[in-house]
Amino acid sequence: MSGFARAGLGHLQVPELRVAYYADLLTRQGRQDAEETDIDRLDDDETALAVALLTAAAEAFPEWRRQGSFTSMPRQVLDWVARRRSVPAEVLARVAVAFAREVNAYLSWPARRRAARQAVADAIGAVRPQVLLAHSLGSVVAYETLHAYPALSVDLLVTLGSPLGIPGAVFDALEPEPLQERGAKPPGVGRWVNLADPGDLVAVPRRLGDRFPVDHDDETAIGMVQFHMLGAYLASGMTAAAIAPYLDG
C-alpha cells in the first residue's frame, strides 16, 4: 500500500490484509463470464442493472435531466455516457457488464447471498479486525453482513468505490430495507468513511452520506484508467490516511 508514503505516513508499518473470499459462491456453472463482455448479451435482469448503473452515472450531467431517461437498449445509454465522460465505450461496456453480472449474481440468489454474508462474517469473526475495507460489491456484502450479524464489530468501516447508493439497482434491494430513503449504519460500526474516485462509474452517486449515516465522505483520484480498481484505491494516500489512526505504533 504505497498510499502511506503518498500521505506522508511512511514511518508506519503497512498493515497485513486478510481477504474474505466468496466469489466462488456467486459463479454460475457452465458460463464463461470473463469471455462475455458484450452488453447486448446480458439477460433481462442484468440489462436492468446495467441501465441503472449507466443512468446513475449520467445523472451528473444537466443535459441528461433535460433529455430524460433512455428507454431503449443499454448501448444507447452507454454511448451517451462514454462520450460525455471521455471513457472509451468498450471500457465502459466491460465495467457495465461486470457490474451487472456480479451484482445480479449476489442479489438474485437468496441462498448464495446468505452464504456470501456468512463467509464475510466468518472472516471478521476469525480475524476480529479494527478496520474493514470494503470495495465495490464487497461494500454491499459487508454492509448487509454487519447488519445480519450485529454482534460483529469494527472500529472503522472504509467503503471504496461503493455502489451502495445506486437507486433501484442496489439501494432499494438492500437488506435491511432502507427507511424513508435512508440506509442505516450497521450497529457494530464505530466510524464509517467512504472514498470514491470522481470518475468511478460504479461509485454513483459518490456521496453515500446523502443516503447513509456516513461519518466522512471524500473523493480520491486514482487514475483515468484504473478508476475502479481495488489496487488503485489501496495505493491512495487518502485510504492510508483514513486507516492510519487505527494502526498500532
Side-chain angles (χ1 to χ4, degrees):
M1 293 178 67
S2 58
F4 282 88
R6 291 192 176 100
L9 300 168
H11 60 286
L12 293 178
Q13 182 176 353
V14 177
E16 180 182 0
L17 293 178
R18 302 285 186 88
V19 179
Y21 186 73
Y22 53 82
D24 57 325
L25 302 173
L26 304 179
T27 301
R28 289 185 181 178
Q29 294 183 350
R31 180 169 179 175
Q32 298 177 332
D33 285 352
E35 298 179 4
E36 297 182 14
T37 58
D38 189 342
I39 198 167
D40 296 320
R41 296 177 66 179
L42 298 175
D43 65 28
D44 290 345
D45 290 338
E46 293 166 345
T47 296
L49 284 165
V51 170
L53 169 67
L54 295 169
T55 300
E59 286 284 339
F61 301 102
E63 59 266 35
W64 167 270
R65 296 187 178 90
R66 289 195 298 269
Q67 180 171 339
S69 299
F70 288 113
T71 58
S72 60
M73 294 297 292
R75 185 165 296 282
Q76 182 183 0
V77 196
L78 183 149
D79 291 341
W80 194 92
V81 177
R83 288 196 304 272
R84 282 152 182 79
R85 282 192 178 265
S86 300
V87 176
E90 58 271 21
V91 173
L92 185 54
R94 286 198 296 271
V95 172
V97 168
F99 170 85
R101 289 190 171 142
E102 185 179 53
V103 173
N104 183 64
Y106 178 72
L107 295 179
S108 66
W109 302 347
R112 297 192 180 193
R113 188 174 185 173
R114 291 191 296 270
R117 293 194 302 225
Q118 183 65 61
V120 173
D122 289 345
I124 295 174
V127 178
R128 298 188 179 279
Q130 280 188 287
V131 177
L132 178 62
L133 300 177
H135 172 251
S136 193
L137 175 63
S139 66
V140 179
V141 182
Y143 175 85
E144 293 193 343
T145 297
L146 291 168
H147 275 291
Y149 298 86
L152 295 176
S153 64
V154 293
D155 294 335
L156 174 68
L157 170 65
V158 182
T159 46
L160 305 168
S162 175
L164 271 166
I166 296 179
V170 177
F171 181 75
D172 299 290
L174 288 174
E175 297 177 355
E177 181 181 354
L179 298 176
Q180 298 180 339
E181 295 299 312
R182 293 283 294 177
K185 188 175 184 179
V189 172
R191 179 173 169 79
W192 183 353
V193 172
N194 178 63
L195 300 176
D197 181 277
D200 192 334
L201 296 167
V202 175
V204 286
R206 291 190 299 277
R207 282 187 50 81
L208 287 187
D210 294 338
R211 288 181 174 264
F212 298 89
V214 173
D215 295 289
H216 182 71
D217 260 314
D218 220 329
E219 293 185 353
T220 177
I222 62 174
M224 288 294 293
V225 177
Q226 302 187 71
F227 56 78
H228 187 63
M229 301 298 291
L230 173 60
Y233 274 111
L234 292 180
S236 165
M238 296 194 71
T239 304
I243 68 177
Y246 299 85
L247 301 179
D248 293 336

